[in-house]
Amino acid sequence: MARAAGVAVGGHRHAATGLQVERRGRRWPWARTLVANPVAVVSAGFLLLAVLAAAFAPLLVTTDPTFLDPAVRLQGPSAAHPLGTDDRGRDVLSRVVYGGRVSLLVGLSVTAIAALVGSTLGLLSGYYPRLDTPIMRTLDGLMAFPSILLAIAIMASLGPSTGNVVVALVVVYTPTIARLVRSSTLVAKQQAYVESARAVGMGDVAILLRYVYPNGLSPLIVQCTFVVAFAIISEASLSFLGAGVDPETATWGNMLRDGQRILQRAWWLSIFPGTALVLTVLALNLLGDGLRDALDPRARRR
Amino acid sequence: MAAYILRRLILVLPVILVVGVVVFALVHLTPGEPAAVILGDRATAEEIARLRDQLGLNDPLPVQFVRWFGGVLRLDFGESIFLGESVTRSLLGRVQPTVLLTLYALCFQILIGVPAGVLAAVRHNSPVDRVLTVLAISGASVPTFFLGILLILVFAVRLRWLPSGGYVPFTEDPIAHLKGMLLPAFALGFSAAGLLARLVRSSMLDVLREDYVRTAFAKGLPEGLVVVRHALRNALIPALTVIGTSVGALLGGAVVTETVFTIPGMGRLVVQSIARRDYPVIQGAIMTIAVTYVLVNLLVDLLYVYADPRVRLGGG
């Protein structure tokens, strides 16, 4: 993906014609717009911190998130336990940090796989009219389900585990991406440069990857940011319902489910994981918004 | 118009078929023998064989599918394994809370989303616009179930103004019914309102630039009148489609919201049935919700044609 984008933007020798293709303008004009947007920069910074915290969780919090200490059950925030402890004496701070690991891992892997599968299906469906109907009708069928319901349905048969959550959410979010890539493929297919590439005898795969796909990359990147956010919310919702990640694992959704049962006595069990969840999703949505403004000049005028 | 409606109706059929295949496949996606999984570890071989027979799992898959889908078309989803009654009967007993919750949430979504979108467009690029935009994005970032928990914490646990859950039928006690539905409907409608507000804002901005709006202003009509009578009418047409897709999000969100507020609707039934591995109930409930969503979208599409003659005249 990154290579294709670089080729499309930078100067290089045209494979088929041998002509030097000139680089148009600055390499990343959108990056300047993005950096000039304080909301997007703060969001990106927050997400970077969240990723670092998740990656280096064992260094950041020294208490094991599964360590049971009956002596300190249901304690409010204190110096020893900054975010308090739960009803089994586990440290809420370390559970929130480790829970972020699961959320980000699920969000990013769902998006990566859905982007890969969705792009492939979208390119095939947009470029080959014969494949269009079977692929799109199947995806329409999947999109006929309210997304969380489809995820619940798949989890009901696969059983709770992190891997199954990823599978279920990939099925849920692939159709949206495929539709997006298909529509940009349909537009790019009509362009003169694609016709010329075909005329000089370039293969379909090369045309698709070099000339068609890069054209739809901007809206795809924006969409992917939102898919990460949706996937994180969905994972938390599934876990909250007891149909997501294994109930014993520290995740934000699992913590919220356990926390709601004793909401009257211990507000911190719900508030802290919930806040972590909201901030992460909010940062992703704001970053996606900033990216859209930067990548789509038409939206910027708004 | 008639041709468009007919074509739109025909297009729904393959979608419902795919939905049916997916829901049917659920049982067969289960790792291992479904009958053994349903009965758990302590089941004997005879019990498993009997359940296999009861569920018709011994027949070839296509035969099973035709039988199941034929039943679905007659609104017969089979027998619940756990509840000891037909799935259709147990679903009927839980339709009301889910439908009402979704409708109340839709009201909140429209009552919050439309005015917010109009205000942001009319005060384009002002601080009001910016605050509303940030609020709309925040609304979409707070998961329904967490907003629900926050509302319970404030209004039920701290202030004790409203119940933290449960359900009272409208016919039994209208006041208690509405009091009980207030928090869940707000939680569900609020996050959906953000999306609607953003759409209304952008379509309002388009419409406000139109000649006829300028003419209306030039005639000296008051701003409120122009906005409501001339601009909003046209700006709401694209919003119709979002409301259609919102119903899907709201129906799905109802599953989660019912669990937070312990409302005995179809969503809560699905969640409880997952733990009991009551597959006929899960299949029946999911099929019903998905088909409802497909039909609502069909209705919205047809309304759209009715509301915007350009779609109709342009050949749809």
Side-chain angles (χ1 to χ4, degrees):
Chain A
M1 232 159 71
R3 189 181 150 266
V7 168
V9 179
H12 67 99
R13 193 162 283 275
H14 192 287
T17 58
L19 294 172
Q20 179 66 30
V21 177
E22 284 307 317
R23 181 189 296 177
R24 275 183 294 123
R26 304 180 58 90
R27 201 172 172 86
W28 290 312
W30 55 269
R32 291 183 60 176
T33 322
L34 190 67
V35 172
N37 177 348
V39 176
V41 172
V42 171
S43 305
F46 176 83
L47 290 170
L48 187 67
L49 282 180
V51 170
L52 288 176
F56 299 106
L59 300 176
L60 195 66
V61 285
T62 39
T63 324
D64 188 306
T66 55
F67 179 69
L68 305 173
D69 187 355
V72 293
R73 287 172 57 213
L74 280 184
Q75 288 192 349
S78 66
H81 300 283
L83 305 187
T85 59
D86 69 5
D87 53 332
R88 286 149 82 184
R90 295 176 296 195
D91 182 49
V92 173
L93 174 64
S94 81
R95 290 181 72 75
V96 168
V97 171
Y98 276 86
R101 259 188 167 181
V102 179
S103 289
L104 290 170
L105 190 71
V106 169
L108 293 174
S109 43
V110 164
T111 308
I113 303 171
L116 194 71
V117 180
S119 297
T120 312
L121 291 174
L123 283 172
L124 291 175
S125 175
Y127 199 72
Y128 299 106
R130 219 182 292 168
L131 293 176
D132 196 24
T133 308
I135 294 181
M136 290 321 288
R137 282 295 156 273
T138 311
L139 297 182
D140 282 350
L142 290 176
M143 286 178 98
F145 293 90
S147 53
I148 187 72
L149 196 70
L150 181 58
I152 291 172
I154 300 173
M155 290 309 293
S157 39
L158 295 181
S161 87
T162 314
N164 290 346
V165 170
V166 173
V167 171
L169 295 181
V170 164
V171 175
V172 170
Y173 294 114
T174 295
T176 332
I177 291 178
R179 266 201 182 180
L180 186 75
V181 173
R182 172 181 175 269
S183 66
S184 60
T185 305
L186 285 173
V187 174
K189 197 168 80 164
Q190 309 293 335
Q191 303 300 317
Y193 56 81
V194 170
E195 222 168 286
S196 343
R198 212 179 295 142
V200 295
M202 253 181 114
D204 280 358
V205 175
I207 292 177
L208 281 174
L209 291 182
R210 281 194 117 151
Y211 299 107
V212 175
Y213 192 49
N215 257 294
L217 221 46
S218 301
L220 179 64
I221 291 169
V222 174
Q223 184 65 32
C224 282
T225 322
F226 295 127
V227 170
V228 180
F230 291 143
I232 288 179
I233 289 190
S234 300
E235 180 274 316
S237 307
L238 288 173
S239 298
F240 177 78
L241 296 176
V245 174
D246 172 53
E248 287 303 306
T249 311
T251 72
W252 296 337
N254 282 341
M255 293 174 75
L256 282 162
R257 190 193 58 237
D258 294 342
Q260 203 205 340
R261 276 193 293 237
I262 39 176
L263 191 59
Q264 310 233 358
R265 282 189 292 156
W267 55 269
W268 57 91
L269 295 186
S270 299
I271 295 296
F272 293 126
T275 307
L277 176 62
V278 171
L279 288 178
T280 309
V281 173
L282 184 62
L284 281 163
N285 282 336
L286 292 172
L287 179 65
D289 232 44
L291 272 174
R292 175 158 49 199
D293 288 349
L295 288 168
D296 183 358
R298 271 184 309 142
R300 206 185 313 168
R301 262 186 262 130
R302 272 282 150 77
Chain B
M1 179 86 176
Y4 174 81
I5 294 177
L6 192 69
R7 210 180 49 199
R8 194 64 190 73
L9 281 175
I10 292 171
L11 269 178
V12 162
L13 299 177
V15 172
I16 290 182
L17 188 69
V18 174
V19 168
V21 171
V22 172
V23 173
F24 171 76
L26 287 178
V27 174
H28 303 276
L29 274 175
T30 317
E33 161 75 35
V37 173
I38 290 168
L39 290 172
D41 301 334
R42 276 174 295 175
T44 62
E46 291 94 77
E47 282 172 332
I48 293 174
R50 205 179 320 130
L51 187 64
R52 273 191 71 89
D53 210 43
Q54 188 198 325
L55 295 176
L57 293 172
N58 293 319
D59 297 321
L61 278 183
V63 175
Q64 287 187 43
F65 176 73
V66 170
R67 189 174 48 217
W68 179 78
F69 199 68
V72 168
L73 294 178
R74 284 177 277 115
L75 297 181
D76 171 13
F77 300 99
E79 291 290 311
S80 161
I81 295 167
F82 184 87
L83 299 169
E85 59 179 2
S86 78
V87 174
T88 311
R89 183 182 268 286
S90 55
L91 286 181
L92 275 177
R94 294 165 196 256
V95 163
Q96 196 203 44
T98 305
V99 169
L100 290 179
L101 175 61
T102 309
L103 286 179
Y104 296 152
L106 192 64
C107 292
F108 271 115
Q109 181 191 13
I110 294 171
L111 288 177
I112 300 169
V114 172
V118 171
L119 192 63
V122 173
R123 301 274 171 267
H124 185 210
N125 276 339
S126 72
V128 178
D129 181 19
R130 266 172 232 127
V131 168
L132 284 172
T133 304
V134 169
L135 264 179
I137 299 180
S138 318
S141 304
V142 182
T144 320
F145 68 96
F146 182 54
L147 184 58
I149 291 175
L150 287 179
L151 292 173
I152 291 176
L153 196 58
V154 174
F155 293 100
V157 176
R158 285 287 138 107
L159 299 172
R160 296 180 187 282
W161 288 352
L162 293 163
S164 66
Y167 181 74
V168 182
F170 186 82
T171 44
E172 214 167 88
D173 182 350
I175 303 291
H177 167 83
L178 292 175
K179 272 178 110 176
M181 294 300 257
L182 190 60
L183 294 183
F186 181 82
L188 190 52
F190 182 74
S191 39
L195 182 71
L196 183 63
R198 302 190 78 187
L199 191 102
V200 169
R201 173 182 177 272
S202 79
S203 77
M204 226 13 214
L205 283 176
D206 285 340
V207 172
L208 286 174
R209 282 195 209 102
E210 296 278 347
D211 287 341
Y212 61 82
V213 171
R214 204 179 312 141
T215 311
F217 274 119
K219 282 199 298 187
L221 293 181
E223 190 190 13
L225 191 72
V226 179
V227 168
V228 174
R229 183 96 53 86
H230 295 250
L232 186 60
R233 243 189 82 115
N234 284 298
L236 281 184
I237 294 174
L240 249 182
T241 42
V242 176
I243 292 176
T245 36
S246 294
V247 171
L250 293 177
L251 277 170
V255 175
V256 186
T257 313
E258 283 170 13
T259 307
V260 178
F261 289 94
T262 52
I263 297 170
M266 287 170 51
R268 200 165 135 77
L269 180 65
V270 171
V271 173
Q272 289 171 331
S273 302
I274 291 176
R276 302 169 190 151
R277 301 196 170 281
D278 197 343
Y279 284 105
V281 173
I282 300 175
Q283 286 179 306
I286 287 177
M287 191 73 201
T288 309
I289 298 177
V291 170
T292 308
Y293 178 38
V294 171
L295 295 180
V296 167
N297 269 317
L298 175 71
L299 190 71
V300 167
D301 273 10
L302 297 180
L303 278 177
Y304 192 86
V305 183
Y306 177 75
D308 189 350
R310 281 170 299 182
V311 180
R312 185 167 22 160
L313 297 173

